Amino acid sequence: MNDTAIARLIAAEEKRQREGLEMIPSENHTSSDVLKALGSRLTDKYSEGYPGIRYYGGCEIVDEVENLARKRAQALFGVSHANVQPYSGSPANMAVYFALADPGDTVMGLELYYGGHMTHGLKVNFSGKWFNSVQYRTGKDGYLDYGAMAALVQEHKPKLIFVGATAYPRVFDWQKLRDIADLAQSFLVADISHIAGLVVAGAHPSPVGIADVITTTTHKTLRGPRGAIILCNGLPSNPLKRAERVKENLPTLIDRAIIPGLQGGPHNHQTAAIAVALHEAAQPAFKEYGRQIVANAKTLAAALSSVGYELVTGGTDNHLLLIDLTNKNIKGADAEKALGMAGITVNKNTVPFDSRPPFDPSGIRLGTPALTTRGMKETEMEQVAQWIDRAITAHGNEKKLTAIKQEVRALTEAFPLPN
Ligand code: DSN
């Protein structure tokens, strides 16, 4: 690369990832095939529209790329329609609002500070500003409070309900959520960004056939490039025609929401990389990968609980742990910093009913997808739990944290990044 400044930064980031433990649960390490697709000439091509109906010439090949990505998404998740063009998760969710609701309509989602996402109705987000957003929460025990949700739905009759999370360690009961949505004939939207890889692997129940629309980013447990897909069932899409807002028209409504509703040209290099990731996720080995992510998270949860860490809900069913550090007398931000100095990357996070403010919360959130990609298993998770405990106990002591970082680095040499 001629740009030595950027080349140096790319190499430095690769070294940071290689020599450390990436434990932010929304991150992962992609394969070299995904990286090759991302770095291809496909990035040069404009192709507003959909395969066969583009506003530009020269789209024959990118049409094949997009069709392949769509087919692979449909087959992997078992749906009749996939839109693979969303630039990322937030635009995908924005498209769903655009397709299913009008500004001012009532919508519902899990409050960010209780594990939800900004686009699920946070007041300062478009979803909370342009819509009448009603937010549900978890109960004191950290579990979704399905009874409270049902009462809110009956009271507010939302047009759509987003279900999904960024910091929720338990499974979603999709059928129960469907029944709740049906109380007000609301559209049920499952945002499975965090758990898509687990769903594909059979390590988390699937919302397919239950939720009306499913959105997911492609770069978390699904282990693809940054990007997103929207999945649904219905009549074949006709993006050239307006469609009434009924369930059989979901494919057309979603496609028209992406373009002309929200986006311009799709990122064809990203679409190709998504196709590669979907192919990888369809291999038998991916089922074992999903199972191991959960097994690793459970091992980590048990090991940390045994030395006094308070896990929200008391444990995990999926890829992540949410830890309330109040009893350890350390703020989330300080724990994040100490762990970072020890070569373990996590993020500070609110916990349900946090007594501290969202920008300086009581907890940390950590997960196992990236470590599992590197081949780590239960034995390594026991070791990682010990390092986490030592680093949090040693916070502020640079010498001790540097010593842990050296141990971490030694372990990582046996677990290379994927190639
Ligand atoms: N940034 C994502 C996460 O960390 O969960 C959500 O958008």
Side-chain angles (χ1 to χ4, degrees):
M1 188 187 262
N2 291 322
D3 187 333
T4 52
I6 286 294
R8 183 180 60 75
L9 291 171
I10 292 173
E13 173 59 11
E14 195 175 320
K15 180 174 187 298
R16 188 193 70 78
Q17 291 185 21
R18 192 174 57 245
E19 295 182 354
L21 300 174
E22 295 303 304
M23 297 195 71
I24 292 174
S26 48
E27 294 183 3
N28 212 329
H29 300 295
T30 47
S31 69
S32 57
D33 279 1
V34 166
L35 293 178
K36 273 182 208 144
L38 275 179
S40 68
R41 284 280 166 206
L42 292 168
T43 196
D44 296 350
K45 187 71 193 101
Y46 251 126
S47 56
E48 263 106 327
Y50 290 101
I53 39 171
R54 304 283 192 185
Y55 290 90
Y56 289 82
C59 291
E60 311 76 36
I61 295 161
V62 293
D63 275 6
E64 285 192 49
V65 170
E66 188 167 337
N67 273 332
L68 199 51
R70 295 202 291 198
K71 278 195 187 118
R72 287 179 179 177
Q74 288 159 10
L76 190 65
F77 287 93
V79 293
S80 72
H81 187 72
N83 187 306
V84 296
Q85 292 195 10
Y87 299 144
S88 201
S90 295
N93 287 347
M94 197 180 215
V96 174
Y97 286 101
F98 201 96
L100 303 184
D102 292 312
D105 279 349
T106 299
V107 298
M108 259 179 73
L110 177 61
E111 191 174 339
L112 177 69
Y113 308 122
Y114 293 75
H117 188 256
M118 292 181 297
T119 58
H120 296 184
L122 186 70
K123 288 294 173 195
V124 294
N125 183 261
F126 79 89
S127 55
K129 277 181 174 282
W130 296 349
F131 300 96
N132 173 35
S133 160
V134 176
Q135 299 262 268
Y136 56 90
R137 294 178 167 183
T138 61
K140 291 265 186 222
D141 59 4
Y143 282 83
L144 274 187
D145 185 340
Y146 292 95
M149 276 182 82
L152 278 179
V153 168
Q154 278 174 313
E155 183 185 346
H156 296 282
K157 307 200 173 359
K159 203 62 157 297
L160 63 89
I161 304 170
F162 258 89
V163 177
T166 60
Y168 186 65
R170 297 297 179 179
V171 295
F172 293 101
D173 185 335
W174 298 118
Q175 191 52 55
K176 206 180 263 187
L177 291 158
R178 173 79 266 165
D179 294 343
I180 290 170
D182 287 346
L183 293 171
Q185 284 79 51
S186 312
F187 286 108
L188 179 63
V189 185
D191 178 348
I192 61 168
S193 292
H194 264 255
I195 54 171
L198 304 184
V199 167
V200 164
H204 185 292
S206 172
V208 171
I210 304 174
D212 298 302
V213 180
I214 299 168
T215 63
T216 180
T217 48
T218 45
H219 48 274
K220 298 186 174 87
T221 47
L222 204 51
R223 212 164 55 178
R226 278 172 194 282
I229 52 185
I230 307 175
L231 308 162
C232 58
N233 285 310
L235 296 171
S237 171
N238 183 354
L240 297 177
K241 280 208 167 146
R242 286 172 200 271
E244 200 193 337
R245 204 175 265 151
V246 292
K247 290 192 182 185
E248 61 260 34
N249 290 339
L250 282 169
T252 301
L253 292 165
I254 294 295
D255 283 356
R256 285 181 61 81
I258 288 289
I259 178 168
L262 287 170
Q263 294 191 171
H267 296 172
N268 292 302
H269 59 306
Q270 188 182 35
T271 307
I274 288 172
V276 171
L278 294 168
H279 177 69
E280 290 173 357
Q283 304 312 308
F286 200 85
K287 289 214 169 352
E288 174 52 23
Y289 171 62
R291 191 204 62 76
Q292 189 67 52
I293 288 176
V294 176
N296 283 352
K298 283 181 184 290
T299 302
L300 197 61
L304 288 170
S305 293
S306 74
V307 286
Y309 286 86
E310 280 187 2
L311 272 59
V312 172
T313 74
T316 183
D317 294 331
N318 59 23
H319 63 302
L320 71 79
L321 283 59
L322 185 59
I323 304 179
D324 184 345
L325 292 166
T326 308
N327 69 328
K328 294 284 180 184
N329 294 317
I330 182 170
K331 301 189 294 181
D334 291 340
E336 177 190 297
K337 190 169 170 208
L339 289 164
M341 289 173 75
I344 302 171
T345 309
V346 307
N347 68 274
K348 61 179 182 289
N349 215 96
T350 51
V351 295
F353 302 93
D354 208 320
S355 56
R356 301 186 58 80
F359 52 84
D360 188 15
S362 300
I364 50 169
R365 181 185 71 146
L366 62 161
T368 55
L371 301 193
T372 309
T373 293
R374 296 179 79 162
M376 295 187 194
K377 297 207 163 106
E378 286 85 344
T379 313
E380 287 75 38
M381 294 306 114
E382 301 274 1
Q383 175 62 74
V384 170
Q386 282 182 31
W387 283 326
I388 289 172
D389 183 37
R390 273 171 57 200
I392 286 177
T393 309
H395 76 97
N397 185 328
E398 202 175 327
K399 206 169 147 201
K400 284 189 179 170
L401 295 172
T402 306
I404 299 170
K405 188 173 186 173
Q406 280 163 0
E407 292 176 40
V408 165
R409 187 176 161 182
L411 176 79
T412 61
E413 279 171 16
F415 295 94
L417 298 180
N419 56 39

